Amino acid sequence: MTVSARRARPSSGNDRPPGVIPSHDVRARRPDPRAAKTIENIVNAAQNVMMNHGTPRVTAQEVCDSAGVSRGTLYRYFPSMEAVLEAVVLRLRTETDEELNHAMKGCETPTERFAAFLKYSVSNNETRRGSQFLHVEPAFVIQYFQSNFEHFIQRVLTALDPVFDAWEADIGTPVDRAAIAEMMVRLALSETVVPPAEGKPLALRLQSTIDVILDALRS
């Protein structure tokens, strides 16, 4: 299968946790701890190959060699290499959701929450690994970004909901939450393609700019 033939499916409300493959992607089988371990091993191997690969393609044989399994074993649990890659990116997306939720814990004020969100946005695993994966499976990764774009926006809206509430209370008018969330997502995606230059990250510079604007609106 060529790189251009691989496509990431749009996200759905039935996505499973990392390492667990949707039933329509894996051939029917009875629950088996050994099978679950094998699946996890294959997904780990595929992720490692994508992160350390030097050429723009990941093959089934490379994943099998890294996982220490046969091609027959790989295709017993995954109908295609596309399904293997989908398992990798689904895990990455779910891990990012969980990591962001964890970063938001303990923030007692909207200001603290916004600062924590921007700090996490500067160096999250999805952006960093996405940049690495882009060199290996560019068509697949770009399709993944496109098909999960709305999920990314909803992630930001959920994380910043109390922040938007506070802003609106301060300035006395609604803010375009969707536009701000989309701007944040597009910033993260752009940094996947073009890594930020050294110095103060753009996300933190945006925080300073927003603080100035809010102070002016309050006065």
Side-chain angles (χ1 to χ4, degrees):
M1 178 180 290
T2 63
V3 171
S4 60
R6 293 174 178 166
R7 292 292 181 270
R9 291 195 313 277
S11 62
S12 70
N14 295 321
D15 290 338
R16 306 293 183 84
V20 179
I21 314 305
S23 58
H24 54 271
D25 281 344
V26 183
R27 298 172 186 177
R29 60 187 183 280
R30 294 179 180 179
D32 182 347
R34 291 177 299 178
K37 182 64 176 178
T38 300
I39 291 171
E40 183 73 8
N41 189 28
I42 292 171
V43 174
N44 285 337
Q47 181 169 316
N48 289 335
V49 170
M50 289 182 75
M51 292 180 66
N52 300 307
H53 207 278
T55 58
R57 188 181 180 189
V58 173
T59 67
Q61 190 59 56
E62 288 171 319
V63 174
C64 290
D65 290 344
S66 179
V69 301
S70 67
R71 290 171 66 92
T73 297
L74 184 148
Y75 288 118
R76 176 185 175 190
Y77 299 109
F78 297 89
S80 65
M81 271 301 297
E82 179 183 24
V84 176
L85 299 182
E86 286 169 355
V88 172
V89 295
L90 175 57
R91 169 198 279 178
L92 176 59
R93 195 192 75 183
T94 305
E95 285 178 349
T96 304
D97 290 343
E98 294 172 348
E99 289 167 359
L100 179 56
N101 290 336
H102 180 74
M104 298 292 98
K105 289 183 178 178
C107 297
E108 298 182 358
T109 68
T111 300
E112 290 177 350
R113 190 174 184 86
F114 187 54
F117 172 83
L118 291 179
K119 181 179 179 181
Y120 177 77
S121 298
V122 168
S123 59
N124 70 79
N125 284 330
E126 191 168 55
T127 299
R128 179 174 57 83
R129 292 177 185 170
S131 182
Q132 293 173 303
F133 293 170
L134 195 63
H135 294 290
V136 180
E137 291 281 356
F140 183 87
V141 173
I142 290 172
Q143 181 63 25
Y144 164 72
F145 287 154
Q146 292 174 341
S147 61
N148 287 280
F149 192 70
E150 292 302 321
H151 177 91
F152 301 150
I153 290 177
Q154 188 57 52
R155 175 196 290 163
V156 176
L157 288 171
T158 300
L160 296 184
D161 188 55
V163 176
F164 294 142
D165 288 343
W167 288 356
E168 291 177 346
D170 282 341
I171 64 178
T173 186
V175 298
D176 191 337
R177 301 183 181 206
I180 296 172
E182 183 171 338
M183 180 188 70
M184 295 293 186
V185 171
R186 291 189 181 279
L187 170 61
L189 295 185
S190 71
E191 290 185 346
T192 300
V193 179
V194 182
E198 294 184 3
K200 191 173 183 180
L202 180 56
L204 299 185
R205 288 163 57 196
L206 283 174
Q207 181 180 14
S208 299
T209 301
I210 291 173
D211 287 344
V212 170
I213 293 173
L214 288 176
D215 287 342
L217 290 173
R218 292 177 188 132
S219 61

